[in-house]
Amino acid sequence: QVQLVESGGGLVQAGESLRLSCAASGESFSTYGAGWFRQAPGKEREFVAGINWSGTSTDYAASVKGRFTISRDNDKSTVYLQMNSLKPEDTAVYYCAAALMGLRPEVRETEYASWGQGTQVTVSS
């Protein structure tokens, strides 16, 4: 199993950008799929973006498509989430997750075996 640590969260104004990073350690991360989820206050955790083991296939929630980009660097065992044109409704705790099945991006939480501790993203209007 891998251990995940997110970083890069913070407070920004609407329209600005942030890049989240997720550093993995432990077993070979390059064979895992990876994803980003978020949870806003009073809401359930939701899928944001997913990527397969090689980085050749990605998937996004409709609410972030065209604004967010997920990528990975397997040499650095790191997954990124570039977030552009941020909106107040993007405010949430963002979690990185790793899926044992890495052939395609996974949308369901149940497909992910390891989770990070989360990083807060706050977008002011």
Side-chain angles (χ1 to χ4, degrees), residues 34-104:
W36 288 94
F37 289 75
R38 67 186 181 186
Q39 186 168 22
K43 295 186 177 181
E44 294 187 353
R45 189 159 57 185
E46 63 176 1
F47 170 79
V48 175
I51 191 167
N52 70 339
W53 70 273
S54 62
T56 56
S57 182
T58 58
D59 196 5
Y60 297 92
S63 60
V64 307
K65 193 171 293 184
R67 299 188 298 123
F68 291 11
T69 302
I70 188 172
S71 61
R72 67 189 299 162
D73 184 338
N74 284 338
D75 290 337
K76 297 182 178 178
S77 297
T78 301
V79 177
Y80 304 98
L81 184 68
Q82 178 66 43
M83 306 185 294
N84 298 330
S85 302
L86 282 161
K87 304 175 181 180
E89 51 263 44
D90 295 318
T91 295
V93 176
Y94 283 72
Y95 297 90
C96 175
L100 285 172
M101 299 300 295
L103 294 179
R104 61 180 182 273

Side-chain angles (χ1 to χ4, degrees), residues 5-10 19-23 36 78-79 81 94 117-119:
V5 178
E6 303 97 334
S7 61
R19 188 177 81 156
L20 305 183
S21 299
C22 173
W36 288 94
T78 301
V79 177
L81 184 68
Y94 283 72
Q117 82 290 348
T119 185

Side-chain angles (χ1 to χ4, degrees), residues 1-2 24-32 72 74 77:
Q1 199 167 8
V2 299
S25 61
E27 297 183 7
S28 178
F29 183 65
S30 61
T31 65
Y32 284 67
R72 67 189 299 162
N74 284 338
S77 297

